[in-house]
Short mmCIF file of all heavy atoms in Angstrom, two decimals:
data_model
loop_
_atom_site.label_atom_id
_atom_site.label_comp_id
_atom_site.label_asym_id
_atom_site.label_seq_id
_atom_site.Cartn_x
_atom_site.Cartn_y
_atom_site.Cartn_z
N ILE K 21 100.87 142.79 75.32
CA ILE K 21 101.85 141.76 75.64
C ILE K 21 101.69 140.64 74.61
O ILE K 21 100.59 140.19 74.35
CB ILE K 21 101.62 141.17 77.05
CG1 ILE K 21 101.63 142.25 78.10
CG2 ILE K 21 102.59 140.05 77.35
CD1 ILE K 21 102.98 142.74 78.51
N ARG K 22 102.79 140.21 74.05
CA ARG K 22 102.74 139.08 73.12
C ARG K 22 103.19 137.83 73.86
O ARG K 22 104.18 137.84 74.56
CB ARG K 22 103.66 139.31 71.93
CG ARG K 22 103.08 140.27 70.97
CD ARG K 22 103.68 140.11 69.62
NE ARG K 22 103.15 141.20 68.82
CZ ARG K 22 103.82 141.80 67.89
NH1 ARG K 22 105.02 141.42 67.59
NH2 ARG K 22 103.28 142.78 67.22
N SER K 23 102.44 136.77 73.64
CA SER K 23 102.76 135.51 74.29
C SER K 23 103.40 134.57 73.28
O SER K 23 102.91 134.39 72.19
CB SER K 23 101.49 134.88 74.87
OG SER K 23 101.79 133.63 75.42
N ASN K 24 104.50 133.98 73.67
CA ASN K 24 105.15 132.96 72.87
C ASN K 24 105.15 131.73 73.77
O ASN K 24 105.73 131.77 74.84
CB ASN K 24 106.56 133.40 72.51
CG ASN K 24 107.28 132.39 71.63
OD1 ASN K 24 106.87 131.23 71.57
ND2 ASN K 24 108.34 132.84 70.99
N ALA K 25 104.54 130.64 73.37
CA ALA K 25 104.29 129.48 74.21
C ALA K 25 105.18 129.36 75.44
O ALA K 25 104.70 129.00 76.50
CB ALA K 25 104.39 128.22 73.37
N SER K 26 106.46 129.67 75.35
CA SER K 26 107.34 129.47 76.50
C SER K 26 107.65 130.74 77.28
O SER K 26 108.12 130.68 78.39
CB SER K 26 108.65 128.84 76.04
OG SER K 26 109.30 129.72 75.14
N LYS K 27 107.42 131.91 76.69
CA LYS K 27 107.73 133.14 77.41
C LYS K 27 106.79 134.27 77.02
O LYS K 27 106.19 134.24 75.95
CB LYS K 27 109.18 133.56 77.18
CG LYS K 27 109.50 133.96 75.76
CD LYS K 27 110.96 134.35 75.64
CE LYS K 27 111.23 134.84 74.23
NZ LYS K 27 112.56 135.35 74.09
N VAL K 28 106.67 135.26 77.87
CA VAL K 28 105.82 136.41 77.60
C VAL K 28 106.72 137.64 77.57
O VAL K 28 107.49 137.88 78.48
CB VAL K 28 104.75 136.57 78.70
CG1 VAL K 28 103.94 137.83 78.48
CG2 VAL K 28 103.84 135.35 78.73
N THR K 29 106.61 138.39 76.46
CA THR K 29 107.44 139.59 76.31
C THR K 29 106.57 140.75 75.89
O THR K 29 105.57 140.57 75.22
CB THR K 29 108.53 139.38 75.24
OG1 THR K 29 107.89 139.03 74.02
CG2 THR K 29 109.51 138.31 75.65
N PRO K 30 106.95 141.98 76.28
CA PRO K 30 106.18 143.13 75.81
C PRO K 30 106.28 143.25 74.30
O PRO K 30 107.32 143.00 73.72
CB PRO K 30 106.87 144.33 76.49
CG PRO K 30 107.75 143.76 77.53
CD PRO K 30 108.04 142.34 77.15
N SER K 31 105.18 143.61 73.66
CA SER K 31 105.20 143.79 72.21
C SER K 31 105.66 145.21 71.88
O SER K 31 105.61 146.09 72.71
CB SER K 31 103.82 143.54 71.62
OG SER K 31 102.92 144.51 72.08
N VAL K 32 106.11 145.37 70.67
CA VAL K 32 106.51 146.69 70.20
C VAL K 32 105.23 147.44 69.86
O VAL K 32 104.35 146.93 69.19
CB VAL K 32 107.40 146.56 68.94
CG1 VAL K 32 107.74 147.92 68.38
CG2 VAL K 32 108.65 145.77 69.28
N LYS K 33 105.12 148.66 70.35
CA LYS K 33 103.94 149.49 70.07
C LYS K 33 103.92 149.81 68.59
O LYS K 33 104.88 150.35 68.05
CB LYS K 33 104.00 150.77 70.91
CG LYS K 33 102.86 151.73 70.66
CD LYS K 33 101.60 151.27 71.31
CE LYS K 33 100.55 152.37 71.19
NZ LYS K 33 99.23 151.89 71.32
N ALA K 34 102.83 149.46 67.93
CA ALA K 34 102.69 149.73 66.50
C ALA K 34 102.55 151.23 66.28
O ALA K 34 102.03 151.94 67.12
CB ALA K 34 101.47 149.00 65.96
N TYR K 35 103.02 151.67 65.13
CA TYR K 35 102.89 153.07 64.74
C TYR K 35 101.41 153.40 64.63
O TYR K 35 100.64 152.66 64.03
CB TYR K 35 103.58 153.32 63.41
CG TYR K 35 103.19 154.62 62.76
CD1 TYR K 35 103.68 155.83 63.26
CD2 TYR K 35 102.30 154.66 61.70
CE1 TYR K 35 103.31 157.03 62.69
CE2 TYR K 35 101.93 155.85 61.12
CZ TYR K 35 102.43 157.04 61.62
OH TYR K 35 102.06 158.23 61.07
#
Side-chain angles (χ1 to χ4, degrees):
I21 304 282
R22 284 202 187 146
S23 176
N24 182 341
S26 62
K27 66 180 184 174
V28 175
T29 57
S31 65
V32 176
K33 177 76 172 158
Y35 165 75

